[in-house]
Every structure is written in structure tokens, then in C-alpha cells.
């Protein structure tokens, strides 16, 4: 809901996936949607990303389809999710973390 805008003059993106606190890959500012979960950091870029995570974690059956152009390439967001998010033993904890992030959106 913030109208702040800033121009980016960089030449490459920064992807600190290993950081304890996730940051935006352009301006390297901490993400607003992040919370501790299962000893890791659960994060989302925006409400749409958060909705995707929730739908994926809630799904009883997770199916994949081959890309028409590339076949079974490892290019989907679902294929790149960390194992701790996709693990059935963490499902309840991850869903609680997602609820915390959703509450932050409506606050």
C-alpha cells in the first residue's frame, strides 16, 4: 500500500538465498513478508507468491506436468521449493507461518 518508488541503476541481481533474512534481489532491502518457521525463514515476495505457497502446501496431491518446449526441466517454482517446506512433517508449521504472513497483509 506504499507508493514509494525508486529507480534501480544496477547491472546485476543479487540473490542471497543463504541469508537468514531474505532481501529483495534489486534493492537488497529486507522482505516484509518473512517469519521464522521450522528453524528457517519462511518468506514471500507478495500476496500472489504467498497464495501459491499456501495452495502448494495444502495440496493433498501434488502433480507436475512436462513443459511442452523443455520437457521435464527443473524450471517451475514448485520444483525449487526447499524440502523443509514440502515435507509432510512440517505442513502444519508451514501453514501457521503462512497464516502469520497473511495477517501481516491485512494489518
Amino acid at each position: 500500500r506504499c507508493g514509494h518508488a525508486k529507480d534501480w541503476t544496477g547491472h546485476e541481481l543479487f540473490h542471497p538465498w543463504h541469508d537468514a533474512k531474505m532481501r529483495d534481489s534489486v534493492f537488497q532491502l529486507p522482505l516484509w513478508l518473512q517469519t521464522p518457521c521450522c528453524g528457517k525463514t519462511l518468506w514471500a515476495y507478495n500476496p500472489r507468491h504467498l497464495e501459491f505457497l499456501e495452495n502448494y502446501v495444502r495440496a493433498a496431491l501434488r502433480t507436475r506436468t512436462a513443459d511442452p518446449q523443455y520437457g521435464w526441466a527443473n524450471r517451475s517454482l514448485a520444483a525449487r521449493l526447499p524440502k523443509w517446506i514440502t515435507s509432510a512433517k512440517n505442513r502444519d508449521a508451514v501453514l501457521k507461518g503462512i497464516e502469520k504472513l497473511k495477517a501481516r497483509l491485512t494489518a
Side-chain angles (χ1 to χ4, degrees):
R1 298 173 209 237
C2 173
H4 180 76
K6 184 176 177 182
D7 290 330
W8 179 57
T9 58
H11 299 288
E12 60 185 52
L13 296 178
F14 178 68
H15 296 287
W17 306 129
H18 59 279
D19 284 356
K21 293 287 186 183
M22 279 303 302
R23 297 181 177 277
D24 172 79
S25 59
V26 176
F27 298 111
Q28 299 169 21
L29 297 172
L31 294 181
W32 184 53
L33 295 175
Q34 59 181 304
T35 189
C37 181
C38 302
K40 307 283 186 178
T41 301
L42 178 64
W43 57 271
Y45 281 119
N46 53 40
R48 187 171 163 205
H49 185 202
L50 190 58
E51 180 182 8
F52 169 82
L53 290 173
E54 180 178 27
N55 291 338
Y56 188 84
V57 172
R58 279 194 194 282
L61 178 63
R62 300 172 185 159
T63 59
R64 290 179 58 195
T65 56
D67 183 276
Q69 183 177 0
Y70 301 107
W72 289 104
N74 188 13
R75 294 174 181 242
S76 73
L77 176 58
R80 303 229 177 231
L81 288 175
K83 296 292 183 209
W84 68 270
I85 290 179
T86 62
S87 173
K89 72 177 183 174
N90 293 333
R91 179 175 291 191
D92 290 338
V94 172
L95 289 173
K96 284 180 185 177
I98 289 171
E99 288 303 316
K100 284 183 189 176
L101 297 178
K102 285 171 59 176
R104 190 173 287 179
L105 289 172
T106 59

